[in-house]
Amino acid sequence: MTEQIIRSKTPLLITENMQEDLAKRGIAAVGTPARCYLGVPMMVGDEVLGMIAVQDYTKENVFQASHLSLLSTIASQAATALENARLFAAIQLQTTHLQIAAEIARWQACPDEEIALRVRMPGQEAAVLSIWQVEMTAGRGEKRAMVV
C-alpha cells in the first residue's frame, strides 16, 4: 500500500473489507492484516517525501473522510517541515563552503611575508611563525598551516 500511495501521490482510505479491497487493487497483503486503513502522501509541490499511515487491526469503519482530511493536513505540515530542514542544512553547508573559499582567497592574495601564525606550546610563551618560515622548514615548497 505504501508503494501505491507514493507512486500515485494520492491518499488511500479503506474503511472495511480490507482483504477484498486489496485484492481488487492487486496489492498483496504483508504481515498482520488491518481491518481499517488510512494512508496519505507527504508532499512538497509535486515531490513525495514519504507517507503517513494509520490502521486499526480490530475494527472496521474507524477512519472516515474527516480523518483523511486531518491526516493530509498533518502530512503536509510534516513534509514542509522536512523540506525546510533540508533547505536550511543546504544553505548552512553552502555558507560554510563560501566562507572557506573566501578565507582561502584571502590567504592566497597575501604575500608570504605578510602571513603569520601565532603558536604556543604548552608551558612556553606564544611565538609568531610566518608561513614563509614554515615553508622553508618543510623544505618542499609547501605552505602549511594548522588552524585550531
Side-chain angles (χ1 to χ4, degrees):
M1 292 183 286
T2 300
E3 182 181 347
Q4 180 180 353
I5 292 168
I6 290 174
R7 191 177 16 194
S8 68
K9 301 179 182 181
T10 58
L12 177 61
L13 172 60
I14 303 173
T15 58
E16 59 189 10
N17 303 317
M18 184 77 153
Q19 297 303 322
E20 294 85 7
D21 195 293
L22 291 178
K24 287 178 192 174
R25 295 172 189 270
I27 299 173
V30 178
T32 305
R35 303 282 311 260
C36 189
Y37 178 89
L38 171 59
V40 297
M42 296 172 58
M43 298 189 59
V44 173
D46 289 336
E47 182 182 358
V48 178
L49 301 183
M51 59 91 60
I52 298 177
V54 291
Q55 45 198 344
D56 192 293
Y57 292 99
T58 58
K59 296 183 234 170
E60 293 185 336
N61 297 305
V62 173
F63 307 117
Q64 305 301 323
S66 61
H67 297 109
L68 188 146
S69 178
L70 176 62
L71 194 59
S72 293
T73 300
I74 292 169
S76 175
Q77 293 295 315
T80 299
L82 287 171
E83 180 66 5
N84 286 344
R86 185 193 68 76
L87 291 171
F88 182 74
I91 288 170
Q92 282 186 314
L93 182 61
Q94 183 180 21
T95 300
T96 300
H97 287 168
L98 290 172
Q99 288 171 340
I100 291 169
E103 187 66 13
I104 289 170
R106 187 178 69 80
W107 278 72
Q108 288 175 335
C110 291
D112 290 341
E113 61 274 6
E114 292 181 14
I115 300 173
L117 298 174
R118 181 174 295 275
V119 294
R120 181 171 179 207
M121 300 298 288
Q124 295 182 0
E125 292 284 321
V128 175
L129 193 64
S130 75
I131 293 295
W132 182 81
Q133 289 170 325
V134 173
E135 180 180 333
M136 294 303 293
T137 304
R140 292 185 295 275
E142 299 172 345
K143 291 184 181 179
R144 296 183 180 184
M146 177 180 287
V147 180
V148 181

